[in-house]
Amino acid sequence: MFSDDNSDIMEGFICPICKSDQKKLESLLQHFEDKHSEEKDLVQTFRDVFKIAKKKILNLDESQLSKTFDSTLKPNKSFNQLEFVEDNQDIGLVKDHIEYFTAIRNPRLERFATETNKLIIRLNKLLTNRPQDPQQIKLHEQNLVPWIDGKLVKLCPSCAKSFFLTRRQHHCRICGSVMCNECSNFLSIDDSFSIINPSYEKSKPNSSEEIILKEPEDSIRLCSHCLHLLENRKQMQDSRSVRPPIYNLYEKLEKIKKDVAPDLIMYEKIITSLYDGNSVYTLADAGALRGKIGHSAEILDDLSKKILGQKCAKGSREEALQKSIRLAAIKFIKENMLTLPPIPLEEEIKKIQQKRITEFNQKIERDRRLAQEAFERYDLSGNAGFPATSRTTGSAMTSVDNWSGYQQQTNTCDPLVEQINIIKGYIKQARDAMRFEEIATLEQNLSELQHEYWLRSQQKE
Amino acid sequence: MNVIKAIQLYIDKMIEEAGPGMKILLMDRETTSIISMAHSQTDMLQKEVYLFERIDSGRSNERLKYLKCIVFIRPTRDNIIRLSNELKSPKYGSYFIYFSNIIPRTEIKALAECDESESVREVKEMYADYLCINSSLFSLNIPTCLHSLNWQQEALERTVSGIIGVLLSLKIRPTIRYKNGSQPAQNLAKRVFDTINKESSLFSFKPPENGVPPPLLLILDRRDDPITALLTQWTYQAMVHQLLTIKNNRVDLSNVVGVPNELKEVVLSAEQDDFYSKNLFSNFGEIAVTIRDLIESFQKRAKEQKKIETIADMKNFVESYPQFKKMSGTVNKHLVVISELSMQISKKSLLEMSELEQDMACRADHSAQLQRVKKLITEERISIEDALRLILIYAMRYERHANCGTVGLLNALKARNGRTHLVPKMLEYISQSARNELFNTTKIDAVKLTRNLIKGLKGVENVYTQHVCVLKDLLEEILKGRSIDQQYPFISSEVPYRRPPTEIIVFIIGGATYEEAFAVHQLNQMGYRIILGGTTIHNSESFLEEVITATNGAPFKHSRSLQAFHNASNA
Ligand SMILES: [Zn+2]
Ligand SMILES: [Zn+2]
Ligand SMILES: [Zn+2]
């Protein structure tokens, strides 16, 4: 009512790459072709990036550029944050009407359902043992459904025009009511069968979804009320059972998206862990997972292209839907998959790990020295617990180095050793299957067992 | 208290309730605008909303039963009828229905009787019934709301729903004050008050803790501060609106010389454009510096990348390319906007204009100012609209001055074929209290001036931003806990609170301005929680339209001496 003129505004389709506003889906796709053709084949880009990552020559810190921008854009940032981050705003009030709505709707629907069921039973009877001869058919029909006495009806109940010679009375074959020819509807035998039996295979694939037909050779005459009820039932059946190809493709697409989400998180986690110098995950793990993600990107790209390629009328809503889905997929790949940080260089990781080990050993050394000093100063020779605690800190780490040696020496049926070997086997399996969450847990178990083993061997000594 | 967030939370909830799968969003004209202010269509794609349709325009009969349909419409009679028809022969598999405001039960019943295929899953009220512009600014998109200085009925109804929507979406049950002497403000306050009481089950929020004053809804009238809507603006958002006009976050640049095709119309959204949201309230000088720095860092980056020797270098560049482009895309847009602003500033001599406007608004120096106005309005370089603005400010300022020269100025404007009739109309529009206030401004207010010194201001001198809108002074009084009962009484008998309210919603009948939004923003930065709204957001041009409609049918009391100019225009 207000807001002047052409307010068909929907804040447009913003290009995911250059953020320019394209307003319409068509123009965005066009823009994509024109302006970003060099990035058009997403998978190709992804493969390239992936390949290079494998060769470990790529090491660009993307965040560097955005940092530059952030700092240039800063002036007002702190202010705005004050205003935006302010509080965890809850959703505003919501009032629910569904209870009242269903209280009105459902009893009505139940009434309709009973009525419709009656009609379907009649329809079923009409179709069973249906004769071929038109005269016979009429008798068959009249026999099953009592027809209303036409003498009592002066006007067609549907259009209110009076009956006379040229406007003759006709009967609805399903409820038996009277109507004129113009107000009659016809249901083909084929459609009738498919209403009675939803799994019925039609003899010829029907062109339209609509059931209404204009008096074919053999059909059932019925009133609008009966038709409406039957049609309604059929549509409800159809919308439950009909799954066009786009629906199935889309389901697959969404499943891939959902499945890849934890991979993306895990990948970031692995990269972080590598840069932290942890040895839970290896560079090969990162490479393998990256490959898996790349494969998912490929499938996503492929599925969305297939959706775009589905047959549909030009300018139809279906076409717009296909384009939208394709665009969303492009955006998803761009934003979530192509922006993954590259795999770090091997030498770099080695250096980080080396540094960590050195630091660790230094810390152990320092702890030991402090303990020793305390030991000497307070003459704690009687207190056995104290030095032990300080040592346990480093145990997990040292045990890793000592482990293989002990194993070879002992070679007995120590259940602890057995357990350790089993866990190691599991880790290998998990790694092969790229179940990285599991690896982390197993590694944790392993180091606990190893620690246990180490403690025991210390006691023996 | 963030109105953008409030709308987004509602939209997200609707989408979440529909669950996974392909979705279409069915809206009316107003809800389309409401949603588009909070989310871009691209955002919606990521939430599996792939199609958008208007319930109130020509619709195809194509059936897509595998789609879920989210319906978000205002609860108007027409919409209910359209939705009933949709439900009678549903095109989509299931329906999730949301009304943007309170809907009578009888309408729910009517809809339920149409849902014969049992396709409705949700029916709810979600009060996203206003347009969010900034985090603390909303509009109702009503271009003109008064007639004969009182409410147009339709506008009043829409305004009541809009304010109720804001309150419910923020879960606020306020006390209500209105500007004493303004009939429209009093009417609106009464209507909102009555609605809150009638719908008390909706407004049953947890009352504030002991001693904490309840939130305040403050209803004002543009007629008490028309000057603010006429001044040349110097903060980014305000300038763009004044010189290029922002309509539902969009700016039409098609008249700008040499603008590339894809920038003929640009979106300026605080929500989606980082650069914009960070520079909304920067003044022109600051923002020019910011842009320059950005470009320099681009160039530096580009140069760095030019030294491409190995394949790795090349790939590095490709990897950073999307980022690079993404950044340059928004910056490029703002560069076009800013250069157009700067072109207009020099072409229209806006610095000189602004200096005189500010001088008149803040300082009494009649004869010198009259001379300057006289001189400027005859010069070609001053646009006829700007000349009119100067005369309007002068006429309001010196209406009661013994040597008032308005008639002479109007004759000069008439010679240039200006819209002289606006001056008598404005003198009818301006309220009595605004008149008194202007008349009392005798000398420069040193306190006001220092308060407005903007630190580190480059390019634009503070002489252009001396004027303080009435709203800012008023809010400061309230926040200091001063009594305003005389001028802004409560609509009902309220227990007066000694402490100032911590949450304030201000609503201006006849439109708010971006200058006022800036004032509110500054206070919010200091930790206050204030939201500003208006029937619309005005620039001087749209404000003059408001003045014309508002004074239509009103008897001329104040400007009898100028009636000749009014009549002349009608002839
Ligand atoms: Zn682009
Ligand atoms: Zn008839
Ligand atoms: Zn019938």
Side-chain angles (χ1 to χ4, degrees):
Chain A
M1 70 173 164
F2 298 107
S3 81
D4 22 1
D5 62 275
N6 61 336
S7 41
D8 209 352
I9 13 80
M10 183 69 202
E11 208 157 87
F13 282 91
I14 292 167
C15 168
I17 296 172
C18 67
K19 294 280 171 185
S20 68
D21 177 33
Q22 299 301 324
K23 276 150 241 136
K24 278 208 219 96
L25 187 64
E26 277 73 16
S27 24
L28 179 51
L29 287 175
Q30 189 59 44
H31 164 90
F32 230 78
E33 299 275 307
D34 297 348
K35 296 281 153 83
H36 309 297
S37 53
E38 77 276 19
E39 312 162 82
K40 195 167 59 182
D41 199 336
L42 295 166
V43 176
Q44 196 51 48
T45 324
F46 196 88
R47 276 206 196 109
D48 290 350
V49 175
F50 178 48
K51 241 183 264 160
I52 300 148
K54 254 182 168 170
K55 286 188 213 150
K56 294 158 192 165
I57 54 165
L58 184 93
N59 193 23
L60 174 88
D61 186 5
E62 263 235 6
S63 62
Q64 208 180 319
L65 185 64
S66 44
K67 258 181 228 151
T68 322
F69 285 109
D70 281 353
S71 60
T72 356
L73 290 170
K74 206 141 251 165
N76 282 341
K77 201 176 176 187
S78 49
F79 294 151
N80 270 343
Q81 272 171 354
L82 232 178
E83 218 180 316
F84 281 98
V85 180
E86 191 196 300
D87 46 13
N88 276 334
Q89 195 169 328
D90 284 339
I91 186 169
L93 188 77
V94 175
K95 183 171 180 185
D96 200 342
H97 287 289
I98 195 70
E99 208 175 305
Y100 180 62
F101 187 93
T102 46
I104 302 283
R105 175 189 67 186
N106 293 358
R108 270 173 64 87
L109 288 185
E110 274 157 34
R111 256 191 347 262
F112 284 142
T114 348
E115 202 179 332
T116 313
N117 288 343
K118 263 187 212 152
L119 298 185
I120 286 177
I121 290 167
R122 283 184 185 170
L123 186 61
N124 192 14
K125 283 183 187 159
L126 286 170
L127 293 170
T128 351
N129 304 322
R130 190 173 173 83
Q132 296 290 320
D133 175 61
Q135 261 332 102
Q136 292 293 312
I137 291 180
K138 198 173 175 184
L139 274 175
H140 171 76
E141 288 174 339
Q142 224 168 343
N143 205 14
L144 289 168
V145 179
W147 288 10
I148 279 186
D149 183 1
K151 276 174 227 144
L152 301 172
V153 189
K154 298 277 179 277
L155 304 173
C156 166
S158 163
C159 65
K161 286 176 185 161
S162 55
F163 293 116
F164 58 99
L165 261 176
T166 53
R167 189 177 291 114
R168 286 183 40 226
Q169 288 189 337
H170 296 274
H171 284 90
C172 171
R173 301 302 193 261
I174 297 179
C175 70
S177 69
V178 171
M179 68 210 149
C180 73
N181 192 44
E182 274 164 53
C183 295
S184 299
N185 301 283
F186 298 94
L187 194 62
S188 79
I189 298 299
D190 217 29
D191 281 330
S192 307
F193 271 116
S194 76
I195 287 174
I196 295 169
N197 177 11
S199 58
Y200 170 81
E201 295 274 333
K202 284 185 184 176
S203 52
K204 48 178 187 244
N206 206 337
S207 47
S208 77
E209 274 185 38
E210 306 291 312
I211 314 174
I212 310 144
L213 292 172
K214 274 296 154 211
E215 197 162 12
E217 325 81 65
D218 190 16
S219 60
I220 290 168
R221 187 186 287 266
L222 76 172
C223 71
S224 328
H225 177 70
C226 290
L227 178 69
H228 180 72
L229 287 176
L230 290 175
E231 206 178 13
N232 223 352
R233 171 67 58 93
K234 180 159 186 314
Q235 267 181 23
M236 280 170 77
Q237 281 165 358
D238 285 355
S239 61
R240 260 169 224 151
S241 56
V242 173
R243 293 275 177 265
I246 184 175
Y247 185 89
N248 296 323
L249 287 170
Y250 183 78
E251 270 196 336
K252 274 186 209 154
L253 183 102
E254 281 304 306
K255 179 155 186 342
I256 304 263
K257 268 196 200 170
K258 222 167 126 193
D259 289 350
V260 84
D263 287 348
L264 295 170
I265 297 165
M266 181 46 80
Y267 181 78
E268 301 266 355
K269 209 163 142 188
I270 292 179
I271 297 292
T272 318
S273 150
L274 284 170
Y275 275 117
D276 286 350
N278 283 329
S279 53
V280 179
Y281 300 114
T282 64
L283 273 176
D285 289 342
L289 189 58
R290 203 182 164 93
K292 189 184 170 205
I293 294 170
H295 184 64
S296 303
E298 219 168 303
I299 300 174
L300 276 182
D301 188 48
D302 202 49
L303 279 171
S304 65
K305 271 184 190 157
K306 259 191 203 146
I307 288 175
L308 189 64
Q310 291 293 305
K311 254 200 213 125
C312 64
K314 223 176 156 38
S316 66
R317 203 174 283 145
E318 204 172 2
E319 190 190 24
L321 175 69
Q322 293 173 0
K323 286 181 176 171
S324 278
I325 294 174
R326 167 71 178 148
L327 189 76
I330 291 177
K331 198 168 178 257
F332 183 84
I333 296 172
K334 273 267 161 207
E335 284 181 356
N336 298 299
M337 303 168 105
L338 294 184
T339 49
L340 289 182
I343 295 173
L345 300 174
E346 191 165 8
E347 302 86 76
E348 201 180 342
I349 294 305
K350 275 210 180 118
K351 242 184 249 164
I352 293 171
Q353 282 178 347
Q354 204 49 56
K355 193 170 158 231
R356 216 188 117 164
I357 291 173
T358 322
E359 277 170 11
F360 213 92
N361 288 340
Q362 280 168 352
K363 185 179 181 294
I364 292 168
E365 199 42 54
R366 199 174 58 239
D367 285 353
R368 228 173 242 163
R369 210 181 54 238
L370 287 175
Q372 190 62 36
E373 278 170 22
F375 185 74
E376 280 160 13
R377 200 177 311 144
Y378 301 110
D379 189 23
L380 290 171
S381 47
N383 188 345
F386 187 56
T389 17
S390 85
R391 271 188 192 184
T392 45
T393 15
S395 61
M397 202 62 191
T398 31
S399 66
V400 176
D401 297 319
N402 294 339
W403 171 242
S404 49
Y406 280 114
Q407 196 191 22
Q408 272 161 11
Q409 280 165 20
T410 43
N411 208 10
T412 49
C413 282
D414 183 339
L416 197 55
V417 173
E418 221 165 82
Q419 196 60 38
I420 286 172
N421 282 331
I422 290 170
I423 298 274
K424 281 189 164 181
Y426 283 164
I427 291 179
K428 191 177 174 305
Q429 278 173 18
R431 189 152 260 146
D432 290 345
M434 288 202 263
R435 297 192 302 264
F436 294 106
E437 278 305 342
E438 216 173 298
I439 293 179
T441 328
L442 288 169
E443 287 281 2
Q444 175 73 31
N445 291 346
L446 183 63
S447 75
E448 274 163 20
L449 286 171
Q450 286 170 337
H451 175 61
E452 189 64 37
Y453 187 88
W454 179 84
L455 278 183
R456 223 174 54 187
S457 61
Q458 289 288 305
Q459 276 168 7
K460 272 183 201 158
E461 270 173 33
Chain B
M1 286 230 301
N2 175 334
V3 283
I4 298 183
K5 188 91 200 156
I7 302 272
Q8 283 176 341
L9 285 167
Y10 274 141
I11 299 171
D12 293 350
K13 179 80 175 160
M14 295 174 201
I15 296 171
E16 185 196 311
E17 287 187 343
M22 293 175 263
K23 290 178 271 290
I24 182 169
L25 185 53
L26 187 59
M27 305 163 286
D28 62 39
R29 195 177 63 182
E30 280 194 82
T31 55
T32 305
S33 303
I34 290 168
I35 289 186
S36 74
M37 299 296 278
H39 272 307
S40 77
Q41 223 153 323
T42 334
D43 286 345
M44 302 291 269
L45 286 186
Q46 297 311 99
K47 299 170 195 283
E48 295 186 273
V49 179
Y50 295 113
L51 292 175
F52 305 90
E53 196 183 3
R54 286 265 302 272
I55 200 170
D56 50 359
S57 59
R59 306 182 55 213
S60 84
N61 278 322
E62 203 181 332
R63 283 169 188 240
L64 296 174
K65 287 286 188 178
Y66 49 89
L67 282 185
K68 293 175 175 178
C69 180
I70 300 170
V71 183
F72 176 49
I73 50 177
R74 301 202 68 240
T76 63
R77 202 69 257 286
D78 287 349
N79 278 342
I80 305 285
I81 292 169
R82 291 185 190 109
L83 184 56
S84 303
N85 291 333
E86 174 75 26
L87 293 181
K88 274 180 206 156
S89 66
K91 296 183 189 62
Y92 308 108
S94 52
Y95 289 80
F96 300 80
I97 300 169
Y98 303 93
F99 293 102
S100 68
N101 222 308
I102 300 164
I103 179 170
R105 258 165 100 85
T106 49
E107 307 280 36
I108 302 281
K109 183 163 179 281
L111 285 172
E113 284 166 356
C114 295
D115 184 22
E116 287 176 12
S117 52
E118 206 175 356
S119 37
V120 173
R121 301 278 179 281
E122 296 283 357
V123 183
K124 282 181 179 161
E125 288 170 14
M126 288 197 183
Y127 309 92
D129 208 13
Y130 53 92
L131 289 97
C132 55
I133 297 172
N134 299 342
S135 56
S136 55
L137 178 66
F138 72 92
S139 157
L140 299 178
N141 251 11
I142 305 173
T144 64
C145 62
L146 301 184
H147 177 83
S148 187
L149 297 181
N150 230 317
W151 278 105
Q152 297 172 24
Q153 195 53 38
E154 204 183 5
L156 176 61
E157 299 305 327
R158 180 66 186 91
T159 304
V160 173
S161 332
I163 290 180
I164 292 295
V166 171
L167 297 175
L168 289 175
S169 71
L170 298 170
K171 293 187 174 163
I172 283 177
R173 179 176 188 148
T175 56
I176 306 171
R177 287 180 186 271
Y178 64 96
K179 177 66 206 300
N180 209 355
S182 162
Q183 197 56 48
Q186 191 175 358
N187 286 354
L188 178 59
K190 182 84 175 56
R191 284 288 308 273
V192 173
F193 179 74
D194 290 346
T195 311
I196 291 176
N197 287 333
K198 189 175 150 233
E199 305 288 343
S200 57
S201 65
L202 293 179
F203 283 92
S204 56
F205 307 122
K206 202 177 78 190
E209 283 158 49
N210 252 351
V212 175
L216 172 66
L217 170 62
L218 180 60
I219 295 178
L220 307 178
D221 191 331
R222 180 81 272 152
R223 293 177 58 212
D224 292 313
D225 184 9
I227 297 266
T228 298
L230 290 170
L231 297 173
T232 301
Q233 298 298 314
W234 295 103
T235 53
Y236 192 34
Q237 194 176 29
M239 279 177 91
V240 173
H241 192 42
Q242 173 71 12
L243 298 174
L244 298 166
T245 305
I246 304 173
K247 204 162 128 191
N248 289 337
N249 280 353
R250 286 170 173 277
V251 179
D252 182 1
L253 294 179
S254 56
N255 292 325
V256 174
V257 187
V259 70
N261 249 336
E262 67 266 24
L263 292 176
K264 287 242 187 294
E265 190 184 55
V266 296
V267 174
L268 294 182
S269 152
E271 194 45 37
Q272 286 144 47
D273 181 336
D274 279 354
F275 184 90
Y276 187 59
S277 83
K278 281 168 191 155
N279 291 286
L280 280 181
F281 301 117
S282 304
N283 72 48
F284 189 65
E286 287 168 340
I287 196 164
V289 171
T290 310
I291 289 237
R292 196 199 58 213
D293 290 351
L294 261 179
I295 290 173
E296 272 175 10
S297 74
F298 263 129
Q299 283 169 337
K300 248 185 243 158
R301 183 82 193 170
K303 244 180 236 155
E304 240 177 72
Q305 293 294 353
K306 266 179 200 139
K307 279 183 266 153
I308 292 173
E309 281 152 6
T310 64
I311 301 172
D313 288 346
M314 266 162 69
K315 296 295 177 189
N316 280 356
F317 186 73
V318 173
E319 276 247 310
S320 65
Y321 207 41
Q323 185 85 346
F324 192 83
K325 272 197 170 164
K326 180 174 138 185
M327 290 298 190
S328 70
T330 44
V331 172
N332 195 26
K333 171 172 84 185
H334 292 289
L335 196 60
V336 170
V337 173
I338 292 208
S339 58
E340 175 61 16
L341 295 181
S342 130
M343 201 277 294
Q344 290 206 25
I345 290 167
S346 65
K347 201 181 90 187
K348 297 180 171 174
S349 309
L350 288 180
L351 286 168
E352 203 177 335
M353 277 282 303
S354 181
E355 204 181 323
L356 179 51
E357 291 164 19
Q358 296 280 334
D359 206 35
M360 283 197 285
C362 308
R363 218 157 55 88
D365 187 0
H366 177 258
S367 62
Q369 286 167 354
L370 178 59
Q371 288 315 310
R372 285 163 73 193
V373 175
K374 256 187 193 156
K375 185 170 166 294
L376 274 184
I377 60 169
T378 51
E379 289 185 29
E380 265 319 300
R381 66 194 167 99
I382 301 297
S383 76
I384 201 151
E385 290 79 19
D386 287 341
L388 173 61
R389 282 200 294 125
L390 281 181
I391 299 172
L392 285 168
I393 297 167
Y394 172 88
M396 284 189 273
R397 182 77 173 78
Y398 294 112
E399 190 189 3
R400 300 192 204 165
H401 196 275
N403 300 320
C404 175
T406 305
V407 173
L409 296 174
L410 281 176
N411 279 324
L413 188 65
K414 204 173 170 186
R416 287 186 71 183
N417 279 325
R419 293 175 289 171
T420 50
H421 62 289
L422 271 161
V423 175
K425 285 206 168 256
M426 185 64 82
L427 292 178
E428 294 305 326
Y429 183 79
I430 184 172
S431 74
Q432 197 52 47
S433 65
R435 262 196 181 82
N436 293 340
E437 180 136 340
L438 275 175
F439 190 70
N440 290 334
T441 315
T442 44
K443 58 178 195 295
I444 187 157
D445 183 340
V447 186
K448 276 187 188 176
L449 188 60
T450 13
R451 198 168 43 202
N452 280 281
L453 291 176
I454 297 172
K455 264 185 280 167
L457 199 75
K458 290 172 198 134
V460 178
E461 295 301 326
N462 53 51
V463 64
Y464 305 113
T465 49
Q466 298 169 47
H467 173 260
V468 178
C469 51
V470 171
L471 175 64
K472 191 172 187 187
D473 281 340
L474 171 59
L475 285 173
E476 282 172 357
E477 294 291 296
I478 294 174
L479 294 168
K480 274 178 205 152
R482 303 248 167 87
S483 166
I484 53 166
D485 293 346
Q486 208 59 42
Q487 278 185 292
Y488 303 91
F490 284 115
I491 193 67
S492 58
S493 48
E494 297 279 344
V495 193
Y497 280 85
R498 287 249 299 290
R499 281 199 275 162
T502 53
E503 292 174 333
I504 304 176
I505 294 172
V506 184
F507 187 83
I508 305 180
I509 300 165
T513 65
Y514 285 112
E515 181 178 337
E516 283 150 337
F518 180 43
V520 165
H521 167 80
Q522 285 175 314
L523 289 168
N524 284 343
Q525 270 175 35
M526 293 157 66
Y528 296 112
R529 293 152 68 86
I530 306 168
I531 283 176
L532 172 66
T535 43
T536 185
I537 310 296
H538 274 312
N539 59 17
S540 62
E541 204 46 49
S542 64
F543 175 55
L544 293 182
E545 289 304 313
E546 175 99 49
V547 170
I548 291 172
T549 355
T551 51
N552 268 350
F556 275 44
K557 292 199 299 261
H558 304 283
S559 55
R560 237 168 282 141
S561 59
L562 302 176
Q563 208 141 11
F565 291 98
H566 178 250
N567 294 340
S569 76
N570 286 349

